[in-house]
Amino acid sequence: MDDLQRWWDMPISEQICNAGSEVARAIRRKNKNDKLGASEFCIHAIEMLCYTKLDPKNAKCVKELSYAQEEILDYILGDNLYQNDDQSIMKWYDAFLR
């Protein structure tokens, strides 16, 4: 619970940037054809976004965070039905950088 509370103590922008770092790592692994590495980083990013969705201060953002999770899963582990590329995925996360 301490880890979750520490996560919740962060502003949403920091939470999303941390998840975005994992997404960037997943993309790099995907581009190296390292499916296992890509999936591990992808799953960690999904977990971080889950914690972000559970954070009471982010209640109004749950739908957008769910879309972000769906797009990551589709791009890294799925069939890329949304037709994303590395830049289109990272653009959302990069918007939260300071």
Side-chain angles (χ1 to χ4, degrees):
M1 185 63 169
D2 287 340
D3 288 340
L4 185 59
Q5 187 58 53
R6 251 193 328 246
W7 187 261
W8 287 1
D9 287 343
M10 292 182 210
I12 188 171
S13 59
E14 193 173 340
Q15 293 171 339
I16 292 173
C17 285
N18 277 294
S21 294
E22 296 301 295
V23 172
R25 289 178 181 103
I27 289 171
R28 283 194 298 272
R29 293 295 178 97
K30 178 181 190 260
N31 291 338
K32 292 180 180 179
N33 293 318
D34 177 2
K35 291 181 182 184
L36 180 60
S39 66
E40 288 173 349
F41 285 115
C42 178
I43 290 167
H44 196 223
I46 295 298
E47 288 172 347
M48 291 174 148
L49 291 172
C50 282
Y51 300 148
T52 303
K53 285 171 35 178
L54 291 172
D55 187 339
K57 74 175 173 287
N58 302 331
K60 293 181 180 179
C61 305
V62 170
K63 197 172 193 176
E64 184 174 2
L65 293 164
S66 295
Y67 290 142
Q69 288 176 306
E70 191 174 325
E71 284 194 323
I72 297 166
L73 286 170
D74 176 56
Y75 185 62
I76 302 295
L77 302 177
D79 295 326
N80 197 18
L81 299 175
Y82 295 111
Q83 299 180 347
N84 281 301
D85 57 31
D86 297 353
Q87 291 77 26
S88 66
I89 290 290
M90 289 308 302
K91 184 177 181 179
W92 186 74
Y93 297 95
D94 291 344
F96 291 91
L97 293 172
R98 296 176 196 190

